[in-house]
């Protein structure tokens, strides 16, 4: 049986990643789209609505590719359906308060790259002690390059920055990855921000995780060029590097070097796997993963880093 599903939010990630994943899925029928912008609703042959409240009752599941300042209330309003909600689920911990009062068991959060086999492989190496017992994780996550030839992109990013620093938006991904890899909630030892644009656009922090692990993170938007996006894990026995563009893994140990690559392109692979996991949730075959609690935890850490970095602005 095909699962009838709606897509709300026909912007950048909705159209470029969620929509194609839904159309590719052998288990999903795209039954409706929702967006307040009439130009974006013009998808031939698919019933389109202006508002989520107009969705027909016979659609049990909704993908929310909406901005975080819309997503929170949308999740609450869809409490009797299953929801795959884009990250972050709110613009702040305070704004997320309504989400702590709902039954989150039907909500999966779109921390998409947790689904990649590379992440699963890296977690296995860490859990199996392949890299060592105490680890240093370094994450350099730079995105949203400033491009004067793309004013629409700049405008969208500026609007997003009105609702929080880059670390709040990107942190949903990489604090989720690091939590998934190391487990537990971190202590923030140190944080900084640098303002190279007219906002605090570059942020970094040092965090301690249970087990004696340390994470050094950096993230930033809106520079004309960007360092490579990379997550690495160093321990006494080995060094693993995840290329965040391709999600290929390089493992170096005393036994030599190994490159681990997975078939397909990483965005397509992750959005397909994320949707397949959501279908399992709707069909009652799996629990939500990443869960709403995971989404709120990543938001909490991102916000604490943003706050700590506000004290050290250069
Ligand atoms: N998982 C990922 O890898 C990933 C990647 C990029 C962006 N995102 C997240 O996805 C979300 C959307 O980002 P984007 O770049 O696509 O933004 P966007 O601004 O390009 O698109 C958002 C869309 O939502 C629509 N919208 C606004 N209010 C709505 C409502 N009430 N109901 C339905 N639609 C509504 C807007 O009209 C717009 O079309 C953000 O939270 C972002 O952080 C996730």
């Amino acid at each position: 049986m095909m699962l009838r599903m709606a897509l709300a939010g026909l912007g950048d990630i909705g159209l470029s990643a969620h929509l194609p994943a839904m159309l590719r899925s052998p288990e999903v029928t795209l039954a409706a789209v929702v967006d307040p912008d009439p130009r974006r609703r013009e998808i031939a042959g698919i019933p389109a609505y202006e508002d989520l409240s107009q969705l027909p009752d016979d659609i049990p599941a909704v993908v929310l590719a909406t901005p975080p300042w819309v997503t929170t209330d949308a999740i609450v309003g869809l409490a009797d359906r299953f929801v795959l909600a884009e990250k972050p689920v709110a613009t702040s911990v305070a704004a997320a308060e309504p989400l702590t009062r709902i039954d989150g068991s039907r909500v999966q959060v779109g921390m998409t790259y947790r689904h990649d086999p590379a992440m699963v492989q890296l977690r296995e190496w860490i859990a199996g002690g392949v890299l060592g017992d105490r680890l240093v994780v370094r994450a350099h996550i730079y995105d949203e390059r400033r491009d004067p030839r793309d004013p629409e992109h700049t405008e969208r990013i500026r609007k997003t920055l009105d609702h929080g620093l880059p670390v709040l938006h990107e942190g949903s991904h990489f604090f989720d990855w690091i939590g998934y890899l190391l487990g537990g909630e971190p202590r923030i030892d140190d944080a900084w921000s640098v303002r190279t644009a007219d906002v605090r656009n570059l942020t970094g922090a040092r965090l301690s995780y249970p087990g004696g692990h340390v994470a050094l993170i950096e993230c930033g938007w809106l520079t004309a060029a960007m360092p490579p996006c990379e997550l690495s894990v160093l321990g006494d026995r080995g060094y693993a590097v995840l290329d965040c563009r391709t999600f290929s893994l390089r493992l170096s140990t005393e036994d030599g070097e190994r490159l681990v690559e997975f078939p397909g392109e990483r965005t397509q692979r992750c959005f397909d796997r994320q949707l397949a996991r959501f279908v399992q949730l709707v069909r009652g075959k799996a629990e939500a993963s990443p869960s709403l609690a995971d989404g709120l935890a990543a938001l909490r850490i991102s916000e604490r880093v943003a706050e700590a970095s506000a004290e050290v602005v250069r």
Side-chain angles (χ1 to χ4, degrees):
M1 272 265 288
M2 298 291 274
L3 193 59
R4 285 167 60 74
M5 217 178 263
L7 171 62
L10 303 172
D12 190 38
I13 204 68
L15 291 181
S16 69
H18 287 290
L19 179 72
M22 293 167 94
L23 296 176
R24 274 191 306 267
S25 169
E27 300 181 278
V28 170
T29 298
L30 181 60
V33 291
V34 185
D35 200 295
D37 184 337
R39 288 166 308 160
R40 299 189 171 184
R41 289 200 300 270
E42 289 165 10
I43 296 181
I46 297 172
Y49 302 91
E50 186 180 351
D51 193 277
L52 277 164
S53 62
Q54 300 164 333
L55 269 186
D57 290 339
D58 65 348
I59 299 178
V62 181
V63 174
L64 282 178
T66 44
W69 51 96
V70 170
T71 303
T72 315
D73 286 347
I75 296 174
V76 173
L78 290 166
D80 53 351
R81 309 193 204 224
F82 288 86
V83 176
L84 166 57
E86 263 305 346
K87 47 51 64 176
V89 287
T91 53
S92 67
V93 172
E97 199 275 333
L99 298 176
T100 62
R101 286 186 272 119
I102 62 166
D103 168 15
S105 62
R106 291 172 171 223
V107 181
Q108 179 177 324
V109 179
M111 291 171 317
T112 314
Y113 297 98
R114 163 122 50 124
H115 297 277
D116 200 276
M119 207 51 84
V120 177
Q121 173 66 84
L122 187 52
R123 191 187 200 207
E124 275 176 25
W125 286 340
I126 291 172
V130 171
L131 303 174
D133 301 324
R134 291 209 163 181
L135 304 171
V136 176
V137 176
R138 295 184 299 165
H140 297 170
I141 313 293
Y142 291 89
D143 201 355
E144 311 298 358
R145 192 172 68 80
R146 189 182 72 240
D147 181 356
R149 285 159 303 182
D150 190 352
E152 204 175 304
H153 172 255
T154 307
E155 173 56 26
R156 186 161 55 80
I157 294 306
R158 291 217 176 276
K159 197 169 160 200
T160 304
L161 287 172
D162 288 344
H163 298 272
L165 301 184
V167 70
L168 194 92
H169 302 282
E170 295 291 359
S172 310
H173 281 306
F174 60 76
F175 288 124
D176 182 61
W177 300 346
I178 301 173
Y180 174 72
L181 294 173
L182 301 180
E185 186 123 358
R187 187 184 71 214
I188 296 159
D189 298 321
D190 180 29
W192 53 263
S193 288
V194 172
R195 190 195 301 261
T196 70
D198 52 1
V199 288
R200 283 197 286 139
N201 54 325
L202 309 183
T203 301
R206 176 165 52 92
L207 302 97
S208 299
Y209 280 79
H213 310 305
V214 170
L216 305 171
I217 65 102
E218 279 177 35
C219 88
W221 285 358
L222 291 181
T223 47
M226 301 182 300
C229 199
E230 190 176 278
L231 182 139
S232 66
V233 187
L234 176 67
D236 180 53
R237 291 190 275 281
Y239 178 50
V241 181
L242 176 76
D243 177 332
C244 296
R245 276 176 310 110
T246 59
F247 267 46
S248 64
L249 276 171
R250 190 175 295 279
L251 173 67
S252 311
T253 64
E254 278 173 358
D255 299 331
E257 282 225 353
R258 222 177 112 193
L259 177 68
V260 181
E261 292 177 305
F262 298 92
E265 187 273 323
R266 123 199 132 140
T267 303
Q268 180 169 328
R269 184 169 72 214
C270 289
F271 276 82
D272 285 352
R273 291 169 70 100
Q274 170 175 259
L275 185 61
R277 177 72 194 211
F278 184 51
V279 168
Q280 283 194 311
L281 170 69
V282 180
R283 296 202 193 281
K285 292 183 181 160
E287 295 191 339
S289 177
S291 64
L292 183 56
D294 293 330
L296 293 172
L299 176 66
R300 198 164 52 239
I301 302 165
S302 307
E303 185 172 286
R304 280 167 47 212
V305 167
E307 283 170 3
S309 74
E311 292 164 16
V312 193
V313 184
R314 294 182 177 86

